[in-house]
DNA sequence: CTCTGTGCAAAGGATTTGCACTACG
DNA sequence: CGTAGTGCAAATCCTTTGCACAGAG
């Protein structure tokens, strides 16, 4: 979740023609450093510590931009504010405990026999799941 | 998405010791009838048409309750308000178009070779995905 | 230089809470 | 009957927007 993520995000921004401002650099750095699963406000605080000049609005707008580009995703995780997760390499998986709401990330993308694997590897008792696939529908290709 | 969903949800509520009030009955019926993917406000309007006495607050609170019980899930889908989806039988899958944001539901739960299958069956070009697994972590079992 | 990006403050929505009242079990 | 559930309104929280200014390319 370190430098490679940072440069990946920064490159993606520039390749799409967006400017790599100092504010965006800090935001992306802190987002990557946090490993994701932060709210916009959480991130704004982190960013503000590193770069006091960067306001909360810019964080919101940058997150929105990264979301549009498919680089991150907002998800509901318990209460209130949206949590943003990194979509490194186009996919993301995590386990959400239905009791303590703890979030356990995992990178294994073995789409077959997932649940058995999760159960044995993380000792996580899978009860249900949500699989969201993003892409282009027939009309939009 | 019909009567069986309704009775499933209603039974689940009662088994957990929650009262099956007339307001909750209508809310669950309309939620099931809509097939999910509605916002709390959307649902409040639907419910209000069928039962004018039921207020928006009750809809919010019922959705929150159903979410806690793992029967439905709030998800971000484009702008603003949370959309609620039915977690029938413990799982849910859908395709989200990155261009028009259309949502295409599918029931096939073939966890192997999913993407190829989706591509050939729905002509949906999968670009990325998010798989969320819900259950109990080691500490909470 | 020009146009995108930023910051502030204020608006706009969505969701939650407090409290008195109703009705399920 | 007693407690969980409801309705209303107001409060709260998150997010978006308008506009003048600053900085990247």
């Amino acid at each position: 979740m370190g430098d490679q993520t940072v440069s990946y995000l920064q490159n993606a921004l520039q390749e799409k023609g967006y400017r790599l401002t100092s504010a965006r650099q800090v935001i992306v750095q802190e987002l990557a450093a946090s490993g994701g699963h932060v709210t916009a406000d959480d991130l704004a605080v982190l960013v503000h510590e590193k770069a006091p000049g960067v306001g909360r609005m810019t964080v919101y707008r940058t997150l929105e931009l990264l979301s549009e580009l498919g680089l991150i995703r907002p998800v509901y995780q318990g209460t209130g504010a949206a949590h943003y997760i990194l979509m490194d390499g186009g996919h993301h998986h995590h386990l959400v405990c239905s009791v303590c709401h703890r979030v356990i990330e995992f990178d294994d993308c073995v789409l077959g026999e997932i649940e058995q694997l999760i159960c044995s590897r993380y000792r996580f008792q899978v009860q249900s799941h949500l699989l969201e696939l993003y892409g282009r529908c027939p009309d939009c290709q």
Side-chain angles (χ1 to χ4, degrees), chain A:
Chain A
M1 299 299 146
D3 297 341
Q4 53 187 3
T5 302
V6 174
S7 44
Y8 173 68
L9 294 175
Q10 294 186 345
N11 290 338
L13 276 177
Q14 288 193 304
E15 281 168 13
K16 299 276 184 176
Y18 295 97
R19 292 182 183 170
L20 188 54
T21 64
S22 58
R24 284 178 179 164
Q25 286 181 37
V26 178
I27 292 169
V28 164
Q29 279 167 21
E30 288 304 307
L31 177 61
S34 75
H37 289 294
V38 286
T39 66
D41 261 325
D42 291 342
L43 188 56
V45 171
L46 292 171
V47 166
H48 202 74
E49 287 171 1
K50 291 287 173 71
V54 178
R56 187 167 59 256
M57 296 307 101
T58 305
V59 173
Y60 271 94
R61 280 188 279 227
T62 302
L63 289 173
E64 188 190 356
L65 177 58
L66 294 173
S67 297
E68 281 173 8
L69 298 179
L71 301 169
I72 62 175
R73 285 273 309 163
V75 294
Y76 274 112
Q77 222 128 264
T79 63
H83 288 236
Y84 288 86
I85 59 173
L86 299 166
M87 294 296 283
D88 285 300
H91 57 177
H92 185 99
H93 330 78
H94 55 240
L95 315 172
V96 183
C97 180
S98 58
V99 179
C100 65
H101 298 107
R102 177 181 314 178
V103 177
I104 302 166
E105 294 196 47
F106 70 101
D107 290 329
D108 313 272
C109 185
V110 194
L111 278 180
E113 71 256 30
I114 284 187
E115 300 203 355
Q116 297 89 324
L117 190 131
I118 295 306
C119 191
S120 63
R121 185 168 303 181
Y122 299 93
R123 294 199 296 127
F124 189 96
Q125 200 179 77
V126 178
Q127 294 176 327
S128 63
H129 64 255
L130 166 65
L131 174 62
E132 287 189 294
L133 299 158
Y134 311 106
R136 290 166 184 269
C137 67
D139 296 346
C140 294
Q141 285 172 22

